[in-house]
Amino acid sequence: MQLHGCSATLSQQSHRHCIVQDASFFHQFRPASFSSYFQSSTRREMTFPRLSVIVRSQSSSDPMELDISLSPRVNSVKPSKTVAITDQATSLVQAGVPVIRLAAGEPDFDTPSVIAEAGINAIREGHTRYTPNAGTLELRTAICRKLKEENGISYSPDQILVSNGAKQSILQAVLAVCSPGDEVVIPAPYWVSYPEMARLADATPVIVNTQVSNNFLLDPKHLESKLSEKSRLLILCSPSNPTGSVYPKELLEEIAAIVARHPRLLVLSDEIYEHIIYSPAKHTSFASLPGMWERTLTVNGFSKAFAMTGWRLGYIAGPKHFVAACGKIQSQSTSGASSISQKAAVAALGMGKAGGEAVATMVKAFRERRDFLIRGFSELDGVKISDPQGAFYLFLDFSSYYGSEAEGFGVINGSESLCRYLLDKAQVALVPGDAFGDDSCIRISYAESLSTLEQAMENIRNAILQLKIPVSV
């Protein structure tokens, strides 16, 4: 086996498998098309335990052996399919293929000018040095004020940790509280990274399925049946990625009553979409419920509501014991977040309740886009639609089309093949539901302009009308 001028010999112990990963090597064989990526993704995401892989160098006069095997922990983790699909779709567009990209969860709006100006001024005024690991006192104080006034939960600055995005905050929380053998309870459909973060912590993800007929909301009785003495963390996301579901306060109170009966169980409340919510739905922070402050790690950030995805800034709030543990991890990995982004975030929190008029304008546009897509998909036979009350995603059940055959394509046998079909026939990039734990659905992001969505809807409709719903015998 040749690997960039090296000959590799594989020494394999019994009952073990191997995987050789070299970025430049795989780059040569990167799929040429988006659909070929789909076809190869299952093979590339298989899990392998450790194997000693020895490479003999031919670039030196003295032969040298090098073990290039990877950690079993890394091999157990799947790459993010949403990131991979978005990157592949972007590559196609850059190559001249007119793909409509509805895979990424990234607002199409520019960062509000008051925030951008604060970032520019931070550079001009010399705020370009390291900040404290936990974040500037100015920003953490502003976050405390926001959480008190908007969410009804009280924290002091030493109970806040600012990180390089909410994603980092979540990972650090999982690593800080979970031990090998612990279980992380995750309602499905779920954000793609939750189960993989549990695996990185040597914990076991326990999936609790929900139903489109119930707007993908967690059934408290089903939740309770999944809990045990191993249950360490319950992850809730409201408004939800990928479903757009919003948990009403009454349902959260039922869940809180169940959580209270399990002494080891903590809750990670992912509230990154809290401001992107459609009346009459209202957001409730889990930590505000009676008896839940001590158990809850609240994660939020600036990427979604403030259109600050590239600024990379999020935070976690919780009891000092847990937040300090997250800070310890951060101090040995990335250290503090960008000083410039933190100055911009202070300006964002100063725009008024829920982001003020600028965010309200974006939310109004998201709602218009949501309503347009719901009307369009309601006209297609066999498509089941939940009632998304927040975020900017539709999670649509297309399973009635599974088993149908498309001329020149083949059989549609799941969410992945349906997304490949829609890419080939409609030139629209979507994310298959199996990435979120529900193969019956596909996710559509409507964080794009209405005119773009109108074209995408027309393309998807024309492609779907070429399929016939299989008749059950």
Side-chain angles (χ1 to χ4, degrees):
M1 174 182 178
Q2 292 294 319
L3 187 62
H4 282 280
C6 297
S7 62
T9 61
L10 309 183
S11 75
Q12 180 173 350
Q13 298 179 10
S14 61
H15 75 269
R16 293 188 177 180
H17 302 78
C18 77
I19 182 169
V20 179
Q21 294 189 354
D22 178 89
S24 57
F25 174 76
F26 278 124
H27 181 77
Q28 298 180 48
F29 299 94
R30 185 176 63 182
S33 72
F34 189 67
S35 58
S36 65
Y37 165 80
F38 269 125
Q39 292 169 326
S40 63
S41 63
T42 301
R43 181 171 61 256
R44 292 166 63 183
E45 291 182 359
M46 292 179 66
T47 298
F48 295 91
R50 178 184 288 277
L51 167 71
S52 177
V53 181
I54 306 300
V55 175
R56 296 185 185 279
S57 173
Q58 294 181 346
S59 61
S60 172
S61 57
D62 297 323
M64 178 181 65
E65 291 187 350
L66 176 66
D67 185 340
I68 63 169
S69 59
L70 299 177
S71 161
R73 180 183 290 109
V74 173
N75 286 337
S76 73
V77 174
K78 298 177 182 178
S80 170
K81 189 171 287 189
T82 53
V83 172
I85 290 170
T86 300
D87 289 348
Q88 290 288 330
T90 299
S91 297
L92 283 175
V93 171
Q94 292 173 345
V97 181
V99 174
I100 299 175
R101 293 167 287 180
L102 303 182
E106 182 171 33
D108 63 318
F109 298 99
D110 291 332
T111 301
S113 59
V114 65
I115 301 174
E117 285 298 322
I120 293 170
N121 289 336
I123 298 172
R124 288 173 174 162
E125 295 168 5
H127 298 288
T128 57
R129 298 183 182 277
Y130 291 135
T131 71
N133 178 63
T136 64
L137 180 60
E138 178 187 30
L139 177 54
R140 286 182 287 135
T141 299
I143 291 170
C144 289
R145 182 167 56 250
K146 178 264 183 218
L147 291 171
K148 176 65 175 178
E149 295 175 356
E150 296 185 4
N151 304 88
I153 40 181
S154 297
Y155 297 96
S156 56
D158 62 355
Q159 294 169 325
I160 306 293
L161 176 65
V162 177
S163 300
N164 300 278
K167 194 170 195 174
Q168 180 181 355
S169 296
I170 295 170
L171 175 60
Q172 290 177 164
V174 175
L175 291 172
V177 305
C178 291
S179 302
D182 281 345
E183 293 180 347
V184 178
V185 182
I186 306 169
Y190 46 71
W191 181 47
V192 296
S193 295
Y194 294 148
E196 308 313 318
M197 289 176 174
R199 293 185 178 99
L200 280 173
D202 285 333
T204 302
V206 174
I207 307 304
V208 185
N209 293 316
T210 63
Q211 304 298 322
V212 63
S213 58
N214 193 37
N215 288 328
F216 296 110
L217 294 173
L218 192 59
D219 181 337
K221 292 182 179 178
H222 192 194
L223 168 64
E224 190 156 28
S225 71
K226 293 285 189 175
L227 298 179
S228 70
E229 67 280 356
K230 295 181 180 180
S231 303
R232 180 56 174 161
L233 190 64
L234 167 64
I235 299 181
L236 296 176
C237 181
S238 177
S240 167
N241 174 7
T243 68
S245 301
V246 174
Y247 277 79
K249 184 177 181 180
E250 296 75 14
L251 179 54
L252 289 177
E253 288 173 338
E254 290 186 58
I255 294 172
I258 294 171
V259 171
R261 295 195 285 270
H262 294 266
R264 292 194 69 236
L265 186 59
L266 305 174
V267 175
L268 190 150
S269 184
D270 183 351
E271 303 182 8
I272 189 69
Y273 294 96
E274 69 160 323
H275 292 327
I276 305 175
I277 197 165
Y278 312 120
S279 178
K282 295 181 180 180
H283 174 72
T284 299
S285 287
F286 196 81
S288 70
L289 301 177
M292 291 297 110
W293 186 95
E294 295 80 6
R295 292 173 174 264
T296 304
L297 301 168
T298 300
V299 172
N300 209 323
F302 299 86
S303 295
K304 310 300 183 179
F306 295 102
M308 293 175 66
T309 51
W311 297 77
R312 305 311 305 135
L313 203 68
Y315 60 88
I316 189 167
K320 184 177 179 180
H321 170 71
F322 296 124
V323 172
C326 295
K328 186 188 301 184
I329 296 171
Q330 182 163 300
S331 73
Q332 296 291 7
S333 54
T334 64
S335 297
S338 162
S339 58
I340 298 159
S341 296
Q342 290 186 64
K343 279 290 185 180
V346 172
L349 294 179
M351 290 168 56
K353 185 176 182 180
E357 183 179 353
V359 173
T361 299
M362 287 188 275
V363 173
K364 181 180 178 181
F366 287 136
R367 182 168 194 155
E368 181 181 9
R369 300 169 188 182
R370 178 201 68 165
D371 293 345
F372 166 75
L373 288 177
I374 287 178
R375 287 194 302 270
F377 283 108
S378 295
E379 297 172 356
L380 293 177
D381 291 338
V383 179
K384 298 176 184 177
I385 305 174
S386 66
D387 182 21
Q389 298 178 28
F392 37 67
Y393 307 106
L394 287 183
F395 203 61
L396 304 171
D397 187 330
F398 273 86
S399 59
S400 63
Y401 287 91
Y402 297 173
S404 59
E405 187 168 356
E407 184 177 353
F409 178 84
V411 176
I412 305 294
N413 55 20
S415 62
E416 198 162 291
S417 61
L418 177 61
C419 285
R420 282 195 287 111
Y421 171 75
L422 291 175
L423 180 82
D424 290 347
K425 299 298 182 182
Q427 293 188 318
V428 178
L430 307 171
V431 187
D434 64 352
F436 307 98
D438 189 340
D439 191 42
S440 63
C441 298
I442 60 174
R443 193 192 77 171
I444 297 176
S445 169
Y446 51 89
E448 290 290 343
S449 68
L450 185 58
S451 60
T452 298
L453 296 174
E454 289 171 344
Q455 184 62 61
M457 186 72 242
E458 180 180 352
N459 292 5
I460 292 171
R461 181 186 293 110
N462 291 337
I464 292 297
L465 290 177
Q466 296 179 40
L467 302 175
K468 291 183 179 180
I469 299 177
V471 179
S472 300
V473 179

